[in-house]
């Protein structure tokens, strides 16, 4: 009976049992971190199990589903939601490759929502600026604009239009690839 330890398990089985118990704790903590940070956007934890030499089941893998869909018609709410989703994906001490993929997907959805929000705000600013001006001022401005444009070449007019749109936030120069957020690499 030299190879048998307490509980009828030999040393190799005890070592395997210790590894399974440690893995079980790690998996459960990992998935609990996702769920805790993900809040209302996180689903229930689910696990894959392995039977240990003692006959008990130990979690050796797991997952928590998370909603990475945008909030329909509300880019600001989408941005806030994706911040939570991204934080939930990166919450465990050692995020997996799948965790990083979910965080990247959330970042893409967030950037798209930021672009939509910027477009909406630009359209509102233009609309408000146009609404707030006096119609006689508009008429005088239009007359002066036509007089000043009539002597310009079509190319100069196009360059002026592009410069205005870029400055006003409507042109391609106003779009930044990072939009104020940088992906985090760990």
């Amino acid at each position: 009976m030299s190879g048998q330890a307490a509980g009828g398990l030999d040393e190799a089985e005890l070592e395997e049992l210790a590894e399974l118990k440690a893995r079980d704790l790690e998996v459960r903590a990992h998935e609990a971190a996702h769920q805790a940070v993900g809040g209302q956007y996180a689903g229930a934890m689910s696990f894959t199990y392995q039977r240990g030499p003692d006959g008990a089941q130990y979690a050796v893998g797991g997952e928590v589903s998370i909603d990475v869909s945008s909030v329909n018609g509300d880019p600001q709410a989408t941005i806030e939601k994706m911040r939570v989703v991204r934080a939930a994906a990166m919450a465990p001490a050692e995020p997996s490759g799948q965790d990083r993929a979910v965080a990247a997907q959330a970042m893409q959805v967030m950037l798209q929502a930021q672009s939509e929000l910027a477009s909406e705000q630009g359209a509102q600013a233009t609309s408000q600026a146009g609404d707030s001006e006096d119609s006689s001022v508009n008429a005088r401005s239009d007359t002066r604009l036509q007089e000043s444009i009539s002597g310009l070449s079509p190319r100069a007019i196009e360059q002026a239009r592009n410069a205005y749109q870029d400055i006003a936030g409507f042109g391609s120069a106003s779009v930044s690839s990072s939009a104020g957020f940088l992906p985090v690499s760990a």
Side-chain angles (χ1 to χ4, degrees), residues 94-177:
E94 295 182 28
S96 68
Q98 179 63 30
D99 297 340
R100 293 177 197 283
V102 169
Q105 184 179 2
M107 183 62 72
Q108 287 179 325
V109 173
M110 185 189 315
L111 292 173
Q112 178 63 38
Q114 287 176 324
S115 176
E116 290 173 22
L117 187 61
S119 294
E120 286 178 11
Q121 289 173 343
Q124 287 174 353
T126 302
S127 174
Q128 290 172 352
D131 292 345
S132 67
E133 291 181 353
D134 181 63
S135 61
S136 63
V137 171
N138 283 341
R140 285 193 305 261
S141 295
D142 287 345
T143 303
R144 278 191 233 132
L145 181 61
Q146 289 300 325
E147 290 170 356
S148 65
I149 289 177
S150 63
L152 297 175
S153 70
R155 183 162 192 250
I157 294 169
E158 183 64 25
Q159 287 174 333
R161 181 180 297 122
N162 289 341
Y164 168 78
Q165 289 178 341
D166 286 344
I167 291 168
F170 301 115
S172 60
S174 66
V175 179
S176 168
S177 62

Side-chain angles (χ1 to χ4, degrees), residues 59-74:
V60 293
E63 67 182 25
V64 171
S65 62
I66 191 141
D67 181 6
V68 293
S69 64
S70 61
V71 177
N72 196 18
D74 192 345

Side-chain angles (χ1 to χ4, degrees), residues 28-112:
R28 291 178 190 279
H30 183 104
E31 301 310 328
H34 287 313
Q35 193 175 47
V37 176
Q40 66 181 348
Y41 307 120
M45 294 184 283
S46 66
F47 300 101
T48 55
Y49 296 94
Q50 180 177 331
R51 185 173 305 278
D54 62 348
Q57 297 278 12
Y58 296 94
V60 293
E63 67 182 25
V64 171
S65 62
I66 191 141
D67 181 6
V68 293
S69 64
S70 61
V71 177
N72 196 18
D74 192 345
Q76 185 61 47
T78 298
I79 292 166
E80 295 306 317
K81 178 181 177 182
M82 290 306 113
R83 285 183 179 148
V84 171
V85 169
R86 186 176 178 286
M90 299 304 287
E94 295 182 28
S96 68
Q98 179 63 30
D99 297 340
R100 293 177 197 283
V102 169
Q105 184 179 2
M107 183 62 72
Q108 287 179 325
V109 173
M110 185 189 315
L111 292 173
Q112 178 63 38

